[in-house]
Amino acid sequence: MRQPLRRLAAPLLSLALAACQTNAANVPAAPPQAKPVAASDATPARGPFVAAANPLAAEAGMAVLRRGGSAVDAAVAIQAVLGLVEPQSSGLGGGAFLMHYDAATEAVTAYDGRETAPSAATPELFYENGQPLPFIDAVLSGRSTGAPGAVAMLAMAQKDHGRLAWRELFGDAERLARDGFVVSPRLAGMINGRAPQARTRWATGYFTKADGGRYQAGEVLKNPAYARTVRMLADQGPGVLYGGPLGQAVAATVAEDPRPGALSASDIAAYRPLRRDPLCRPYRAYVVCVPPPPSSGAAVLEFLAMAERTPDLDKGADSPEAWVAFGRLQRLMYADRDRYIGDADFVGVPIAGLLDSDYVAARAALVPSVNGPVEPGRPTGAPPVGADATAEPGGTSHFVVVDAWGNAVSMTTTVESIFGSGRMAGGFFLNNQLTDFSFTPMQGDHPAANAVAAGKRPRSSMTPTLILDRQGRLVGAIGSPGGSSILAYVAKALVGVIDWGLPVQEAVALPNLVVRGEMVGADAQLLSPEIKAALAQAGMAVRPNATETSGLHGAIWRDGRWDGGADPRREGVAVSEAR
């Protein structure tokens, strides 16, 4: 389901998305500082370029690109290595969203690899004795694991856009698993941290050395089970997981105590990734494209539409007024996201209403008066849904790839929490993605949009993003991990690059500020006293960020080259090679 963009032209740009069109006449003009960074016909945006959260994964992707592989080919290799060297964040047992840009057709495709609830799931999946389970008990249970989707989604995208054979994409992952890789400081911190998922019998068996100690940074960790798994995937294809012995192993692990889950091998075999139409909207001089629900990308588009109507945001990265506006816009964005977004195959999601220019203008008009939590709005088409009760901790990664032909991938990938559920099969961790559903399915007379249902995909904050010019040509890609804070992190980066004119590295390194209802978290030590004082006066007294920190990776095409960035809060790199 691709969205061709070749014939789009400003200022009458009108992108179809979810049966809704932008009223271009009501889109504010770009401010003077928002100068286009689009590729010209003489210098199309092309790679090789990779930005990923671990140098070993980035190098695996670059190696594929050097061999003539496509952006999606490289994505398969990157994910296979990330699942080994950064298992706290993503892996073969998790899910993902992938945004793909086809340079030849200027088509954008959203690939949905979000996990699904088992056929036996009920709205009270996480209830016990009539009450919701404590969150961490639910995470560690077999009930938390959904049918994994990342491998199936990558196989679909690679079949559509690959240039190399599938079997040629797993060599680096197999070698590193077999021969060993050096444990990074971040992984060592997770192995030796207090997260209970790192202390399960599965994780303890993996992370404990022969002398009884746990692996430390700089030591070499081997995973022969993972080496066998990726070799099976290479030789036999994704069917080894979906209907084969790997799927059976996953189901058997889910069925173990404590609190066995109902995910069966047949549930895994029945999993299907989806091609979806992207959500694309104009912003300043550009077009921003994100995945549709169950991703929360629409919330970022609503944020940007409100931002265009919020002059204080244009005052720059050093302005207290701009940061106050940024926080207030988030409160409005999160209020609408939390109430209305879920799996659109199961519940009505009012995308058209949320992005309607009149609705956006009305919400933006509230910005100056937002000094605390706000109620969700009432967009046209909104169904009667109850309040949300979803907790969403982080355990996620993001990477960007551009190949030699200018095809691009922006992919956010996750096992949900740190090391997922803490359970392992085939050398990889299983997701706890079902805890991304609302634990309390009913509020009053109406179910939450994100209530559990059999076969349903939990709402996700993952928002891999592509940026195009008004002629439909690729000019950038970005995304981040961070649980529910992903929306704030991606919005910050987009504002930093587009509104404040910063290089990508500076934009991703900007202080994080996350304002969701009562919760206000920030990189407090990076904000100036003046900004912190202004935030406090506006009802946003900052506290240390309690959610997963950002891991923004991305790039903008400027002056015939990729201006790339890797979040300094992680261990990633942005790598470009001259053509």
Side-chain angles (χ1 to χ4, degrees), residues 12-24:
L12 300 178
L13 177 64
S14 179
L15 297 177
L17 66 162
C20 171
Q21 291 196 332
T22 299
N23 183 348

Side-chain angles (χ1 to χ4, degrees), residues 171-379:
D172 281 329
E174 182 183 7
R175 173 182 54 81
L176 290 166
R178 181 189 63 242
D179 299 340
F181 64 95
V182 176
V183 174
S184 71
R186 183 173 175 82
L187 174 56
M190 300 295 181
I191 290 172
N192 294 281
R194 291 187 284 182
Q197 299 96 306
R199 303 285 169 174
T200 64
R201 62 179 181 271
W202 297 273
T204 296
Y206 178 35
F207 293 137
T208 301
K209 298 179 293 184
D211 64 5
R214 289 194 159 225
Y215 282 91
Q216 303 296 321
E219 297 179 334
V220 175
L221 177 59
K222 297 181 180 181
N223 189 338
Y226 194 87
R228 291 191 294 271
T229 287
V230 293
R231 173 44 51 196
M232 291 170 63
L233 279 171
D235 290 343
Q236 302 175 42
V240 75
L241 176 58
Y242 302 95
L246 276 180
Q248 295 167 9
V250 170
T253 301
V254 166
E256 294 189 42
D257 289 327
R259 296 185 175 90
L263 182 72
S264 66
S266 60
D267 288 323
I268 299 171
Y271 180 85
R272 297 292 182 271
L274 298 171
R275 296 180 193 86
R276 296 188 187 272
D277 286 335
L279 300 180
C280 298
R281 281 291 190 273
Y283 182 61
R284 310 296 192 189
Y286 312 102
V287 177
V288 176
C289 294
V290 296
S295 162
S296 294
V300 171
L301 296 183
E302 183 187 2
F303 173 96
L304 296 175
M306 292 187 294
E308 286 191 302
R309 296 162 170 84
T310 306
D312 278 352
L313 200 67
D314 300 332
K315 295 181 179 179
D318 296 326
S319 164
E321 293 86 356
W323 283 95
V324 167
F326 180 54
R328 287 169 164 169
L329 285 164
Q330 285 185 52
R331 275 193 160 131
L332 292 161
M333 170 187 71
Y334 277 114
D336 284 354
R337 191 290 295 257
D338 291 352
R339 178 61 60 92
Y340 295 117
I341 292 184
D343 185 344
D345 294 333
F346 284 76
V347 62
V349 181
I351 298 297
L354 289 168
L355 301 181
D356 175 77
S357 60
D358 290 338
Y359 177 77
V360 165
R363 294 294 275 173
L366 300 175
V367 169
S369 62
V370 172
N371 289 312
V374 298
E375 291 296 314
R378 297 293 295 273

Side-chain angles (χ1 to χ4, degrees), residues 79 90-91 93-97 113-115 148-150 412-415 431 433 462:
Q79 177 64 91
S90 72
F97 290 95
R114 187 65 161 161
E115 298 88 338
T412 313
T413 174
T414 186
V415 286
N431 71 82
Q433 212 64 258
M462 292 188 288

Side-chain angles (χ1 to χ4, degrees), residues 123 126 387-391 434-442 448 450-452:
F126 296 114
D388 184 68
T390 300
L434 302 189
T435 58
D436 272 356
F437 282 117
S438 177
F439 272 38
T440 304
M442 296 289 293
N450 193 37
V452 182

Side-chain angles (χ1 to χ4, degrees), residues 381-398:
V385 291
D388 184 68
T390 300
E392 190 181 355
T396 304
S397 197
H398 183 83

